[in-house]
């Protein structure tokens, strides 16, 4: 019985473990894809804001940008700066996150940035803030800038640059914070083949040796962010808890089975003892009855024999009636299988008796 329970427990634990891991893998992959979609949605929102800003500047409607941003249906909380640099005023950039502020910039770096962006005019390009430190002085490497340059005319200064600075680390931490089946431990941002690695605190150790858990999200034509190294050990705690529960239930079942088997054996022993006692009592009764029957038959046969002898003598009617009475009374004392009785003889006019256990002689 215990072997059967142990075998069933092992099968149940194996089946549950395989099912649990498969289900957790499915949920984990779903969460991983969900994070990729969330990052892509935020990236698309930033791209839309940059495109909208470029459209407003091209249409000479720069003063309407602030009002447009207040009623925009798609805004990203991770845009820390949305701004404009004009070719005819390269010494200043305008930030639409603080509309009344004009920031001084290095015109040489602004010209260098414009030359780089105009090589892919109309396309949004990712740039590293560290590469243009004087243009973006308050950014420490956790950000990426998505920028676009467009010409307004044929003149060397007839162009503008619009950009959006995005907090990458904060975006990744917040978007992956509520996931349960895995947690993002690291991400790698690539801009023009220059890689920046983000290690998220408290999420585990980065490991880029495999791509089984990596998802890539493209931010611009020259940039992508790779999400990798999910820490999935938390789910094995759930598995260990459930397996421990199954083993505890099996242990309780084994204990109850042992207790039941002991009680059953004790009850069987008590029943067998009672049965032996009853059989012994029945044997004693049978022996007693056999002895008593023997003790009764022996003198009774003598009585019947004497009664038979009397019937062979000359008897008066009264004496014959007495003999008959003796025969009738003797019949009550003999069992059915050993009945002794006296039958009349039609020819001799006598009663003839047989001992108990004999048959009637006609």
């Amino acid at each position: 019985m215990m072997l059967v329970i142990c075998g069933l427990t092992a099968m149940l634990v194996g089946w549950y473990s395989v099912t649990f891991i498969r289900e957790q893998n499915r949920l984990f992959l779903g969460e991983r894809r969900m994070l990729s979609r969330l990052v892509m949605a935020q990236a698309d929102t930033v791209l839309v804001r940059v495109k909208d800003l470029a459209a407003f500047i091209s249409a000479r409607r720069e003063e309407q940008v602030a009002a447009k941003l207040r009623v925009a249906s798609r805004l990203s909380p991770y845009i820390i700066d949305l701004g404009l640099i004009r070719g005819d005023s390269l010494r200043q950039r305008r930030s639409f996150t603080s509309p009344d502020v004009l920031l001084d910039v290095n015109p040489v770096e602004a010209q260098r940035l414009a030359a780089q962006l105009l090589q892919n005019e109309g396309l949004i390009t990712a740039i590293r803030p560290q590469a243009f430190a004087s243009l973006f002085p308050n950014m420490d490497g956790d950000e990426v800038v998505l920028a676009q340059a467009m010409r307004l005319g044929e003149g060397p200064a007839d162009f503008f640059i619009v950009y959006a600075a995005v907090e990458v680390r904060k975006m990744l931490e917040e978007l992956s914070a509520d996931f349960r089946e895995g947690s993002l431990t690291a991400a790698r941002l690539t801009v023009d083949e220059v890689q920046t690695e983000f290690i998220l605190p408290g999420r585990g150790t980065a490991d880029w040796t495999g791509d089984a858990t990596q998802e890539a999200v493209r931010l611009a034509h020259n940039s992508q962010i790779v999400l990798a190294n999910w820490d999935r050990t938390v789910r094995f705690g759930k598995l260990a808890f459930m397996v421990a529960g199954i083993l505890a239930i099996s242990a309780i079942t084994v204990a109850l089975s042992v207790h039941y088997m002991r009680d059953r054996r004790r009850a069987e022993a008590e029943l067998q003892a009672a049965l032996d006692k009853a059989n012994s009592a029945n044997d004693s009764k049978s022996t007693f009855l056999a002895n008593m029957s023997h003790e009764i038959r022996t003198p009774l046969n003598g009585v019947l024999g004497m009664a038979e002898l009397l019937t062979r003598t000359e008897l008066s009617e009264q004496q014959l009636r007495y003999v008959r009475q003796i025969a009738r009374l003797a019949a009550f004392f003999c069992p059915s299988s050993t009945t002794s009785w006296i039958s009349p003889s039609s020819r001799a006019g006598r009663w003839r008796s047989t001992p108990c256990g004999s048959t009637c002689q006609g």
Side-chain angles (χ1 to χ4, degrees):
M1 182 66 179
M2 288 186 291
L3 291 177
V4 173
I5 294 176
C6 292
L8 291 176
T9 301
M11 293 175 59
L12 181 61
V13 168
W15 171 82
Y16 180 80
S17 300
V18 172
T19 303
F20 180 85
I21 292 175
R22 286 178 179 174
E23 180 64 16
Q24 293 300 312
N25 278 333
R26 186 185 67 82
L27 295 175
F28 167 72
L29 293 176
E31 281 193 354
R32 194 182 74 183
R33 296 189 184 101
M34 178 61 70
L35 179 60
S36 299
R37 294 189 184 100
L38 292 175
V39 173
M40 188 176 298
Q42 292 297 326
D44 290 343
T45 300
V46 175
L47 297 180
V48 168
R49 294 279 70 81
V50 174
K51 287 292 186 181
D52 283 349
L53 180 56
F56 272 85
I57 303 303
S58 297
R60 315 286 183 176
R61 298 165 58 186
E62 179 179 336
E63 301 304 323
Q64 299 179 17
V65 172
K68 170 65 177 177
L69 291 177
R70 285 194 294 269
V71 298
S73 59
R74 296 181 64 183
L75 289 175
S76 174
Y78 308 109
I79 297 178
I80 58 175
D81 192 13
L82 184 66
L84 166 69
I85 300 176
R86 284 187 168 276
D88 53 5
S89 58
L90 290 179
R91 294 183 179 276
Q92 291 182 329
R93 66 181 173 90
R94 181 175 183 179
S95 175
F96 290 98
T97 55
S98 302
D100 296 331
V101 177
L102 292 176
L103 304 174
D104 294 333
V105 297
N106 185 333
V108 176
E109 283 202 354
Q111 187 66 48
R112 184 164 61 88
L113 175 61
Q116 178 179 330
L117 295 176
L118 288 173
Q119 292 178 1
N120 298 286
E121 183 179 356
L123 291 180
I124 295 178
T125 302
I127 60 175
R128 297 170 57 247
Q130 300 93 323
F132 301 91
S134 65
L135 298 180
F136 310 103
N138 298 322
M139 300 183 188
D140 56 6
D142 289 341
E143 300 84 10
V144 65
V145 175
L146 300 179
Q148 176 183 349
M150 292 187 66
R151 297 185 182 276
L152 295 173
E154 298 298 330
D158 291 338
F159 67 88
F160 67 87
I161 300 171
V162 292
Y163 68 89
V166 182
E167 286 186 301
V168 177
R169 181 183 295 275
K170 181 180 178 181
M171 177 179 66
L172 295 177
E173 288 179 350
E174 292 186 358
L175 293 181
S176 64
D178 295 332
F179 289 170
R180 297 185 178 183
E181 306 304 327
S183 58
L184 183 65
T185 59
R188 180 175 288 169
L189 175 65
T190 303
V191 178
D192 290 327
E193 299 183 356
V194 178
Q195 296 181 345
T196 302
E197 190 169 308
F198 298 93
I199 304 298
L200 304 184
R203 301 289 186 87
T205 304
D207 180 10
W208 299 95
T209 57
D211 59 356
T213 60
Q214 298 181 15
E215 289 280 343
V217 179
R218 183 161 293 279
L219 301 180
H221 70 91
N222 66 328
S223 174
Q224 70 173 5
I225 184 169
V226 179
L227 312 173
N229 301 317
W230 296 68
D231 181 11
R232 297 187 290 175
T233 57
V234 61
R235 65 184 184 157
F236 291 106
K238 301 177 184 178
L239 176 60
F241 179 78
M242 293 302 298
V243 170
I246 294 174
L247 294 178
I249 293 174
S250 300
I252 294 173
T253 303
V254 170
L256 292 176
S257 299
V258 171
H259 181 71
Y260 167 76
M261 292 173 66
R262 288 178 178 175
D263 286 348
R264 181 176 178 180
R265 289 172 182 171
R266 183 167 54 250
E268 289 178 351
E270 292 176 354
L271 180 61
Q272 186 62 41
L275 182 61
D276 293 341
K277 186 177 180 180
N279 289 335
S280 177
N282 187 56
D283 292 342
S284 299
K285 182 190 71 171
S286 299
T287 302
F288 171 77
L289 291 177
N291 292 335
M292 288 300 297
S293 176
H294 175 73
E295 295 298 329
I296 291 174
R297 281 200 308 270
T298 300
L300 190 57
N301 283 332
V303 172
L304 292 177
M306 293 303 297
E308 183 181 355
L309 291 176
L310 286 175
T311 60
R312 296 178 182 179
T313 61
E314 296 293 334
L315 298 175
S316 63
E317 289 297 327
Q318 184 177 6
Q319 291 172 333
L320 186 59
R321 187 170 62 253
Y322 290 159
V323 173
R324 291 175 180 171
Q325 186 66 27
I326 292 172
R328 281 197 300 270
L329 292 175
F332 287 109
F333 288 99
C334 288
S336 60
S337 60
T338 58
T339 302
S340 178
W341 50 282
I342 300 175
S343 60
S345 175
S346 59
R347 292 183 180 178
R350 299 178 179 179
W351 290 89
R352 189 169 182 178
S353 66
T354 60
C356 291
S358 64
T359 57
C360 175
Q361 302 292 327

